[in-house]
Amino acid sequence: MKDDIMELSKQKFSNIITKITEGSIADELEIEKGDILLSINSQSVEDIIEYQYLIADEYIELEIQTKDGEIVIYEIEKDIDEDLGIEFENPIINSVQTCRNKCMFCFIDQLPKGLRKTLYIKDDDSRLSFLQGNFITMTNMGKKEIDKMIKYHISPVNISVHTTDSELRIKMLSNKNAGDILEKMKKLKKANITMNAQIVLIPNVNDKKNLEKTLYDLEKLHPQLQSIAIVPIGITKYRQRLAKVDIFNTETARDLILQVQEFQHKFLKNLGTRFVFLSDEFYVMSGVKRPSYKEYEGFKQLENGVGLMTKQEYEYNKELKKINTYNRKRNVSIATGESAFEYIKHLSDNMMRKYDSLNVNVYKIENDFFGRTITVAGLITATDMIKQLKGKDLGEELIIPKTMLKSDEDIFLDSITLDEFAQTMNIKVKPSEIDGHSFVKNILGI
């Protein structure tokens, strides 16, 4: 889940300037914080992508309304790619386009009350796809919006496809406008817009034969469509009045892996790329060995949890080779989710075998807050950790994955801050980036 969608939503359109870079063109022109951008070359500016496109010229006319209400037009000659040095109140300037769908797998619809308000925002904005890597369904995009994407060459675009079967996609997204995804993607391909696709897979809905059709349809969009990530539906205990759905288990996850492996072999032969990749969760629940580092082909969809463990273990092994001698006596603990527990324990045990003076206790946190079907570490709350780690040997420091926290603030999903959590547990808490180098260094305290 993208972290709180930058806390944007429903802001009134107003291009308020909040920062001027010292020594920039805007600074030299004495444009000030609090001034408002009205237009560039007599054209109103709706978003940051349009802004960047319009200022990428050697001569521009900038219309500004000062804090005193005066309208000033600045005639600017500059290098073609030179920035003006202006930042806005809202990084995409106008309000975020929110999602109109009622997807049967929507995680936001399964959230309990009382969490951070921004967690309930559903975005479906092509600009956030470009700026932040968010996935969009394109259901709120008509010809005008797609033409604008093409005009400004918004690329890459990350698209939530789920299925290319029109009737099924309409049903899955509960939106009558959801059935034309393939036609929209074909238009983007023709305009040479780079795309990545996501499929949230639901057993007995869009898997098996339907998945086969979807993959064959999407194959025709290569090379502009660079990759496809398949992730399992996530189910919380808060699904009252929502559609009943099945979840993957050991057997169905294994069947899916075999199906996808066959497609990867075909795609590698026909396209020169495996093209479709499964998130790590399928390998964890099935017990099937994860693909090698090379087989992930550069890890195009890490944000979807595709190859995250393999990449981290590769980096972990490289970091361990650098540190042959370690004599510091250290006792630490790690808290993680159920799906990563065995993997994290394996890495920690290897380190203890290599460094005799090191002790690491790894604790599996079961998700009582959202329900036991949620097993990823990024959805663990401070509440569950406080309850389940009470009385445990945590050593001198507790290490947690940084994904448990808001990306720009040290706060958990249940609104408990990192400092409050550390004080409650009476221990130093260290958030760790999800990479092998940070993992090793944080455990060793170096």
Side-chain angles (χ1 to χ4, degrees):
M1 183 187 300
K2 272 293 178 190
D3 195 85
D4 294 3
I5 327 295
M6 298 170 9
E7 300 192 20
L8 298 176
S9 122
K10 299 182 181 177
Q11 292 191 19
K12 189 175 180 180
F13 178 27
S14 184
N15 303 342
I16 300 172
I17 296 170
T18 55
K19 184 178 178 181
I20 301 294
T21 304
E22 187 175 349
S24 66
I25 293 173
D27 188 30
E28 292 176 2
L29 294 174
E30 298 184 351
I31 296 172
E32 297 181 353
K33 177 181 175 181
D35 291 348
I36 297 174
L37 170 66
L38 298 180
S39 69
I40 300 173
N41 299 335
S42 300
Q43 181 174 328
S44 62
V45 182
E46 293 184 359
D47 55 55
I48 195 66
I49 295 167
E50 200 164 52
Y51 169 79
Q52 290 172 343
Y53 178 86
L54 291 170
I55 68 168
D57 210 340
E58 294 176 333
Y59 174 82
I60 62 172
E61 292 183 359
L62 199 68
E63 184 181 14
I64 296 287
Q65 178 180 311
T66 70
K67 289 180 288 186
D68 299 327
E70 182 183 359
I71 307 297
V72 182
I73 296 179
Y74 298 92
E75 297 180 357
I76 300 171
E77 292 185 3
K78 64 181 187 66
D79 293 337
I80 193 164
D81 292 324
E82 188 177 1
D83 189 58
L84 299 181
I86 294 175
E87 293 183 19
F88 298 95
E89 183 176 61
N90 183 333
I92 64 169
I93 300 182
N94 69 352
S95 60
V96 173
Q97 294 181 10
T98 53
C99 184
R100 304 171 187 170
N101 306 321
K102 192 72 174 176
C103 301
M104 62 170 62
F105 49 82
C106 181
F107 196 83
I108 295 174
D109 287 342
Q110 302 178 71
L111 295 179
K113 296 179 180 179
L115 301 179
R116 296 193 306 265
K117 290 181 180 179
T118 49
L119 288 172
Y120 302 98
I121 298 170
K122 298 182 184 182
D123 79 286
D124 198 19
D125 200 307
S126 60
R127 297 163 299 179
L128 287 179
S129 180
F130 173 73
L131 293 169
Q132 290 192 330
N134 294 17
F135 278 80
I136 59 172
T137 65
M138 299 186 74
T139 54
N140 68 339
M141 298 181 69
K143 183 179 183 299
K144 177 184 175 182
E145 288 78 18
I146 293 177
D147 288 346
K148 186 175 180 179
M149 286 179 67
I150 292 170
K151 176 182 177 181
Y152 297 129
H153 201 79
I154 298 177
S155 183
V157 177
N158 297 320
I159 302 172
S160 292
V161 176
H162 311 311
T163 179
T164 54
D165 183 291
S166 296
E167 291 184 9
L168 179 58
R169 194 168 193 265
I170 289 170
K171 179 182 177 181
M172 289 182 69
L173 275 60
S174 296
N175 188 323
K176 64 181 181 180
N177 299 316
D180 61 350
I181 186 64
L182 204 52
E183 287 70 29
K184 288 176 177 176
M185 292 178 74
K186 286 177 180 177
K187 190 168 184 178
L188 295 182
K189 172 184 168 65
K190 187 176 180 180
N192 201 30
I193 301 292
T194 300
M195 298 170 279
N196 291 291
Q198 175 197 67
I199 296 171
V200 175
L201 207 62
I202 308 174
N204 304 313
V205 177
N206 61 332
D207 62 340
K208 299 175 183 175
K209 285 291 184 182
N210 187 271
L211 176 62
E212 181 178 318
K213 176 187 183 302
T214 297
L215 294 180
Y216 278 130
D217 285 341
L218 294 180
E219 178 187 14
K220 298 169 186 174
L221 300 175
H222 182 80
Q224 284 75 21
L225 180 60
Q226 295 183 322
S227 67
I228 306 166
I230 300 177
V231 302
I233 183 174
I235 298 296
T236 78
K237 63 184 181 183
Y238 302 97
R239 281 192 64 86
Q240 296 87 347
R241 297 182 299 278
L242 297 178
K244 291 184 179 181
V245 292
D246 296 325
I247 60 174
F248 281 92
N249 55 36
T250 301
E251 183 180 353
T252 53
R254 285 179 180 171
D255 290 343
L256 174 64
I257 290 170
L258 289 173
Q259 182 184 17
V260 169
Q261 283 176 342
E262 289 183 12
F263 271 96
Q264 287 178 325
H265 293 318
K266 293 175 184 176
F267 290 150
L268 189 59
K269 181 179 179 180
N270 297 335
L271 307 177
T273 172
R274 291 170 181 82
F275 194 46
V276 58
F277 304 90
L278 294 170
S279 69
D280 292 356
E281 294 162 89
F282 289 112
Y283 298 100
V284 171
M285 69 177 76
S286 68
V288 175
K289 183 179 178 182
R290 287 177 276 113
S292 67
Y293 186 91
K294 183 179 179 181
E295 288 174 307
Y296 281 106
E297 300 180 12
F299 301 91
K300 297 181 181 74
Q301 297 225 29
L302 277 176
E303 288 292 321
N304 267 318
V306 175
L308 195 62
M309 288 180 171
T310 296
K311 183 175 183 290
Q312 185 181 27
E313 189 167 11
Y314 176 84
E315 294 163 344
Y316 160 93
N317 288 326
K318 284 184 67 176
E319 195 65 38
L320 280 187
K321 289 178 181 178
K322 299 177 186 177
I323 309 168
N324 292 318
T325 305
Y326 181 81
N327 298 317
R328 175 182 169 186
K329 191 170 180 62
R330 183 162 162 82
N331 179 25
V332 297
S333 55
I334 301 173
T336 189
E338 184 179 350
S339 62
F341 173 74
E342 293 295 341
Y343 162 76
I344 295 296
K345 193 171 188 312
H346 168 71
L347 299 185
S348 302
D349 289 347
N350 281 349
M351 290 185 69
M352 286 191 286
R353 282 191 288 269
K354 181 169 183 176
Y355 309 118
D356 293 336
S357 60
L358 176 68
N359 182 66
V360 184
N361 289 314
V362 183
Y363 295 105
K364 174 173 61 179
I365 307 299
E366 294 180 329
N367 204 319
D368 292 327
F369 192 89
F370 288 111
R372 297 294 177 88
T373 52
I374 301 298
T375 60
V376 294
L379 292 174
I380 295 292
T381 60
T383 302
D384 279 343
M385 285 197 290
I386 290 169
K387 181 173 62 176
Q388 296 177 40
L389 293 176
K390 186 177 181 180
K392 304 290 186 182
D393 176 15
L394 301 181
E396 62 197 78
E397 188 173 42
L398 172 64
I399 299 167
I400 63 171
K402 200 169 183 178
T403 53
M404 288 184 180
L405 302 170
K406 193 169 179 283
S407 66
D408 59 350
E409 189 179 357
D410 288 341
I411 187 169
F412 292 90
L413 287 166
D414 50 357
S415 299
I416 296 175
T417 67
L418 183 63
D419 286 342
E420 289 169 342
F421 172 68
Q423 288 173 12
T424 300
M425 300 304 300
N426 193 28
I427 193 171
K428 180 181 178 183
V429 181
K430 176 69 175 179
S432 180
E433 298 285 355
I434 309 299
D435 65 77
H437 306 294
S438 299
F439 183 86
V440 171
K441 290 178 178 179
N442 286 326
I443 287 181
L444 296 180
I446 58 175

